[in-house]
Amino acid sequence: MIQRIQSFLLVLVVVGVVLMFMFPMATYAIPDPNTDEMVTASLNLLPNNEIVAGDNTASNVQVLMQSGPSVWPLTILAALIGLIALVSIFLYKNRIRQMRVVAFGFLMNIVYIGLIFLLYVDKMATILAPANPLGMPPVAHYSIGTWTPIITAILLFAAQRAIRSDEMKVQSADRLR
């Protein structure tokens, strides 16, 4: 049923996954030694690494971004989280199965968050260190694409709690009959 709160929460999870694809996970700013401009690079789920400004430094940053870790595992994982949330909306007739599917989506989301924070964003900053004239890794500025998975994890947890509460109400009503 679409009227249930967990269905609304799961729709919000799907919207959150779409937002993950639209916004970068992190942006990096590196000073260009030739000019006073900053070269900015962004890490996206879809591998179209944007490099803005600069001449020689911009090409160095482009090469370094391409030599970094592939974002395809994150892209596939995010798509699976969205697909699981979408499919679980239509499992309303079997609440136990719906609860298990949402719990699996929650675990996948936690793995996704761990990969972002522990591996991808910091790893890319260390890879971009040679492009920085000071030799220090650039600071990663987290974007909406990084914070959205945390919100979707909270929404998945809340949806699972709502499904569990519905199941408890149905079991209680069955005992009274």
Side-chain angles (χ1 to χ4, degrees):
M1 287 187 189
I2 301 300
Q3 300 92 349
R4 294 168 42 204
I5 187 70
Q6 56 265 29
S7 298
F8 178 70
L9 294 173
L10 292 169
V11 167
L12 287 178
V13 169
V14 173
V15 169
V17 169
V18 170
L19 287 176
M20 283 189 256
F21 282 97
M22 294 175 65
F23 293 101
M25 287 182 277
T27 56
Y28 307 94
I30 302 168
D32 190 352
N34 302 330
T35 63
D36 291 336
E37 296 179 346
M38 296 293 278
V39 176
T40 60
S42 63
L43 181 63
N44 297 318
L45 267 182
L46 298 176
N48 61 342
N49 300 321
E50 299 173 7
I51 310 297
V52 180
D55 299 322
N56 188 23
T57 305
S59 62
N60 289 344
V61 170
Q62 182 71 34
V63 168
L64 290 169
M65 288 287 284
Q66 290 174 352
S67 67
S70 173
V71 293
W72 286 111
L74 283 181
T75 305
I76 293 168
L77 196 57
L80 284 175
I81 292 168
L83 184 65
I84 284 173
L86 187 63
V87 166
S88 65
I89 293 171
F90 299 105
L91 294 175
Y92 61 88
K93 290 182 182 178
N94 190 346
R95 284 174 300 282
I96 301 294
R97 181 178 294 155
Q98 186 182 29
M99 197 170 14
R100 288 181 182 158
V101 168
V102 170
F104 181 68
F106 175 75
L107 289 176
M108 286 179 60
N109 202 345
I110 296 299
V111 168
Y112 180 83
I113 292 168
L115 285 174
I116 286 176
F117 284 108
L118 298 177
L119 183 63
Y120 280 90
V121 174
D122 291 336
K123 178 83 168 179
M124 192 59 71
T126 57
I127 287 173
L128 291 176
N132 192 346
L134 302 175
M136 297 172 52
V139 176
H141 300 283
Y142 296 111
S143 180
I144 295 172
T146 305
W147 301 114
T148 305
I150 296 171
I151 296 168
T152 58
I154 293 168
L155 290 172
L156 283 168
F157 181 74
Q160 185 183 10
R161 297 277 305 216
I163 296 166
R164 184 180 302 139
S165 126
D166 276 0
E167 182 62 24
M168 294 297 191
K169 287 178 189 174
V170 168
Q171 287 178 359
S172 175
D174 286 344
R175 274 187 292 229
L176 292 175
R177 284 189 219 171

